[in-house]
Amino acid sequence: MSAETVIPVALGPLVADAVYPDVAPEGSPLPRIVYQQVGGVSTVYAEGALPTTENGRYQLACWAETRLQALALAQQVEEILVAHPVLQAEPIGARTAAHEPDNGLRGYRQDFSIWSPR
């Protein structure tokens, strides 16, 4: 049960399952969440064995029609990830506001260190 499979299931109810890896499809509904792995900690034991868990640094972007809607969504995302029973998620820094001038969308991004089963 990797983070890649848990994130959409855990966050889907917030946005009617509009949770996408890497980039949202053209015309996807709002509000929506886009997540992307942007690094992480690589762990290998001294004897060369791989651990049963893995770490990823994930950036989650919450998009909505207004800044306040995006903020409320980003706060819910943080609460769900930090309290999740399978993921060990910790925010890396505070949220960052975002604006897409081409389509007027408002958003917030936040990075998380997430440990999950391999």
Side-chain angles (χ1 to χ4, degrees):
M1 210 188 278
S2 70
E4 292 281 336
T5 59
V6 174
I7 289 172
V9 172
L11 302 179
L14 295 175
V15 291
D17 293 325
V19 181
Y20 307 101
D22 304 321
V23 66
E26 183 72 32
S28 57
L30 291 174
R32 64 180 172 238
I33 299 167
V34 178
Y35 66 96
Q36 181 177 30
Q37 186 171 355
V38 293
V41 176
S42 180
T43 305
V44 177
Y45 295 128
E47 65 273 6
L50 293 173
T52 58
T53 59
E54 62 185 358
N55 176 264
R57 180 179 182 140
Y58 285 86
Q59 184 173 87
L60 282 91
C62 299
W63 296 100
E65 292 182 15
T66 71
R67 183 181 175 123
L68 290 178
Q69 290 170 340
L71 175 59
L73 180 57
Q75 290 169 330
Q76 290 176 303
V77 164
E78 183 177 25
E79 290 171 12
I80 288 171
L81 289 180
V82 169
H84 197 276
V86 173
L87 303 177
Q88 285 184 293
E90 179 181 348
I92 302 174
R95 290 178 290 277
T96 302
H99 176 247
E100 289 289 335
D102 293 342
N103 55 23
L105 294 182
R106 300 293 180 150
Y108 275 91
R109 291 185 179 98
Q110 188 169 16
D111 287 7
F112 294 85
S113 172
I114 299 178
W115 288 92
S116 63
R118 182 174 278 282

